[in-house]
Amino acid sequence: MRKCFTYLVCLVVATLIWMPLLHLFFRPSVDAYVPQAGHLPEHTRRMLNRHLADWEGAGQLDDDLARMRVMNPEWDFMGRTFLVLSLANAALVDPDRRERYLATIDQIITDTLRLESERGQAYFLLSYAGHKAWKHPSKRSVFVDGEIALTMAARRMVEEHEGYRSDMRRRIPAMVEQMRGSPVRCAESYPDECWIFCNSIALAAIKVHAVLDQAPYETFLEEWVATAREKLVDAETGMLISSFDLDGRVQQGPEGSCIWLTAHCLAVVDPVFARDQYDRAREHLGRSFLGFGYALEWPTSALGSGDIDSGLVVLGVSPTSSAMALLAAVSFDDTSYTRGLLASLRFGAFPQREGDQLRFLASNQVGDAMALYGLLNQPLWEAVMQR
Amino acid sequence: MRCSRSIGLALLCWLLFACATLSGLRKYVCVLSLTPPGGDAIGALDIIFMVVYVLLYALSTTVAPILMIAVGLEKALVLLRRGSR
């Protein structure tokens, strides 16, 4: 009996010793993943190589995209966006491989524009896009227009491209006109369904367009932030809501899969408002346990219902929200949270090294691209703010 | 007796995890990202394999080391008691 008690005490003490130590085996220094002073860290370079190999024909891109499209065609599209943004950032910190990065960026944008033109924007949308009528006569989705515009803008921040310049000069004014037409200054992602995720990406694209082409949108951007503060903020948490109809009626409250990226995009539009949104998201959604960082999908005060973008939500913890939290934590220089999130990524995403490539087995192409952009996002925004 | 059972259990966790990895079960963790490992939709077998692999991974990174540390602590206690006598 006494021996049994002693063994149980030993088990409890062993648990108390081991569990707080576990994260140390997975917790890297931020410098090992996030570029510092113009140096692209080896791990991040390997993550980049996995995508470059795919698009250069040595990987399994078609298979990856097909498997993702079975679940959600949006992932195919977002995977392209996150990758182009990562490559543009990489081109700014790694000039030796700049031409290779630019070639892949152009390949992705050209292929995306081809698909948009041949199959329509619906090719990248979930099927319910066709179940309802669009409110705006253009029947265009700001999800598609915003991300395409931002990828072109990012490419042009590295090096000018005349074709993208003229496309942006058509696409962005049409997008702004759609946004101005709504009382909440947001355009539809799906029929009568506006997402803050898509509209904030569109705002970042508008901002970069304003910087690159001296386009007169500063007043619109200020007006957007003022409207959002007044009409699109959740009363309980102060965070921006995720989706709403064209008149601003709430469809989904604040969500981790939206707010982190929104804060990141707003950082070039209104840094003060963006920081406020990040701090609120950190308070209501950002968590750490035993040295591992993670993020909830919904604040405890306003539990929402899961959708496919939330991923596999277990006890409120969302992999998508956690991956997006990494993007925001790096973007807002939150070092301790970044380290915790990286520890979780290394512990829970099953990294697999193959030669000079690194992929995460618990992820897919869009997840890997999202994680990559999470680490490689600062140089581009810094370049925009410096101009 | 209890000591060798704990060590055996910990070794079994690590052995099973190594076997699962070598047999290719690792690829099923992509189900966590709601992506099917094959070309079609996610099937029941995909989910079972994913759960088995993740469980073995969790056991080998948490339970197995805890069992080994507990054995070490128990041994240390015995030695301490002997020393104090």
Side-chain angles (χ1 to χ4, degrees), chain A residues 2-4 6-7 9-11 13-15 17-19 22 26 63-64 66-68 70-71 75 308 311-312 319 346-352 361-364, chain B residues 2-3 6 17 26-42 50 53-54 57-58 61-63 65-67 69-71 73-74 77 81:
Chain A
R2 191 179 155 188
K3 272 188 177 175
C4 198
T6 311
Y7 182 69
V9 170
C10 288
L11 265 184
V13 174
T15 307
I17 292 172
W18 178 248
M19 293 311 285
L22 181 59
F26 298 93
D63 184 41
D64 279 356
R67 288 190 301 127
M68 284 197 312
V70 168
M71 298 304 291
W75 290 348
I308 191 137
L312 197 65
R346 297 178 73 206
F347 176 68
F350 297 88
Q352 170 121 326
L361 293 180
S363 176
N364 49 21
Chain B
R2 188 182 295 116
C3 171
S6 295
F17 178 61
R26 199 170 157 87
K27 73 170 182 181
Y28 290 93
V29 295
C30 71
V31 171
L32 288 167
S33 67
L34 304 180
T35 308
D40 303 321
I42 296 169
M50 180 272 284
Y53 190 79
V54 170
Y57 176 66
T61 51
T62 56
V63 175
I66 287 170
L67 286 173
I69 294 170
V71 167
L73 286 172
E74 204 181 16
L77 270 179
R81 272 191 205 132

Side-chain angles (χ1 to χ4, degrees), chain A residues 260-280:
Chain A
W260 302 108
L261 178 117
T262 299
H264 164 71
C265 288
L266 288 175
V268 282
V269 176
D270 185 329
V272 177
F273 184 47
R275 180 81 222 187
D276 171 68
Q277 287 298 303
Y278 176 74
D279 289 341
R280 289 174 191 276

